Amino acid sequence: MLKPENVGSNARVRIFTPSTELNFAGHPTVGTALILALRGLGDLGTIVLEEKIGVIHCAVSPDGNRGHARFLLPDLPRGAGSPAPTLAIAAALGLSASDIGFDRFVPARWSLGNAFTFVPVRNLDAVRRCRVNEPAWDQAFELGGRTSAFVFCNETLDPANQFHARMFAPRLGVAEDPATGSAVAALGGLCVRTLALDQGEHRFNVEQGHEMGRPSLIELTLTLRSGLLRLATVGGPAILVSEGTIEA
């Protein structure tokens, strides 16, 4: 987190995995916005962050050492090319081809700052059985541009949620991620393309991280007007668990 470059922003944020820098990430955005609000920054519950993808406006509700943050997507999700064949995707995740797909959802590539191959699977059992198969990974997720794998189903642990998910990004140095807001942001494009959504606002809750023992909840809100996605937000709860100081 650095000093902002623009008047009206609260901070400039750079986000790194163990192997690379990201243009944008939802989990760090929510956490950073909450920390700044807990420190008394922001105006009327609004925190403005500068990330490589652009300026991100966050609505924050702090409460003690925890709270909730929601941010407006700085851009809308877009398709990122064709996915690999289903057999290749299944092999890279230790699944069978019959595990892939549910309802009208089929594998697809979407991006908002970071590219993902979205892999719908038939149930929770298939999600839990996913394992990264290194020798098969690149044929499924690296050809035609790097993507990470976001595996999801519509069978959930909490009936109030719409999707259960896991995210794997071994080429970014992330074996598995407990919460992936940039993937859920891009998932909005897939939902609009796949589901017959009416005009107005639609909310989707995505549970993630349970298989890691680090459960998270990511909230996606889509607003459609004239049949098109006009704006979207991603948010969720966060809690301060530790802090420290680095001295030069």
Side-chain angles (χ1 to χ4, degrees):
M1 188 164 55
L2 307 165
K3 291 182 178 180
E5 295 181 343
N6 303 312
V7 175
S9 298
N10 297 108
R12 180 164 64 94
V13 180
R14 298 182 68 185
I15 302 169
F16 298 86
T17 74
S19 64
T20 192
E21 184 174 4
L22 300 177
N23 292 323
F24 159 66
H27 197 179
T29 298
V30 166
T32 301
L34 178 61
I35 287 295
L36 292 176
L38 290 174
R39 296 294 182 265
L41 299 178
D43 182 27
L44 299 176
T46 299
I47 295 291
V48 181
L49 302 176
E50 299 167 3
E51 299 185 17
K52 293 187 73 175
I53 196 175
V55 176
I56 300 179
H57 295 262
C58 311
V60 189
S61 302
D63 180 15
N65 69 336
R66 65 185 65 210
H68 184 281
R70 182 180 72 255
F71 59 89
L72 180 67
L73 300 190
D75 199 357
L76 294 178
R78 53 179 57 90
S82 299
T86 297
L87 283 174
I89 291 173
L93 293 169
L95 301 175
S96 65
S98 62
D99 289 316
I100 308 296
F102 67 84
D103 295 343
R104 287 176 287 173
F105 283 99
V106 296
R109 289 168 51 124
W110 285 82
S111 176
L112 200 163
N114 307 309
F116 294 90
T117 296
F118 289 92
V119 185
V121 297
R122 58 183 178 175
N123 54 26
L124 277 172
D125 175 66
V127 173
R128 290 166 175 157
R129 285 189 283 110
C130 286
R131 297 291 184 274
V132 171
N133 180 4
E134 282 282 353
W137 187 264
D138 288 355
Q139 289 295 317
F141 300 111
E142 294 286 309
L143 298 182
R146 171 160 296 168
T147 66
S148 302
F150 191 80
V151 181
F152 68 104
C153 69
N154 64 353
E155 182 182 0
T156 58
L157 298 173
D158 185 338
N161 301 331
Q162 284 69 51
F163 299 117
H164 182 96
R166 298 176 73 183
M167 199 286 282
F168 306 95
R171 297 297 178 262
L172 298 180
V174 179
E176 183 171 355
D177 190 27
T180 317
S182 60
V184 173
L187 178 65
L190 179 59
C191 287
V192 171
R193 176 71 60 86
T194 306
L195 303 174
L197 299 179
D198 297 329
Q199 303 295 331
E201 186 175 282
H202 302 268
R203 178 167 170 164
F204 299 88
N205 291 335
V206 180
E207 56 188 41
Q208 188 180 336
H210 289 266
E211 288 75 15
M212 303 174 65
R214 296 174 61 187
S216 68
L217 180 67
I218 308 170
E219 303 158 358
L220 170 68
T221 301
L222 308 174
T223 302
L224 277 71
R225 301 191 187 103
S226 302
L228 298 175
L229 178 62
R230 298 299 185 180
L231 60 88
T233 66
V234 167
I239 182 170
L240 174 63
V241 295
S242 66
E243 56 184 320
T245 302
I246 299 176
E247 297 182 0

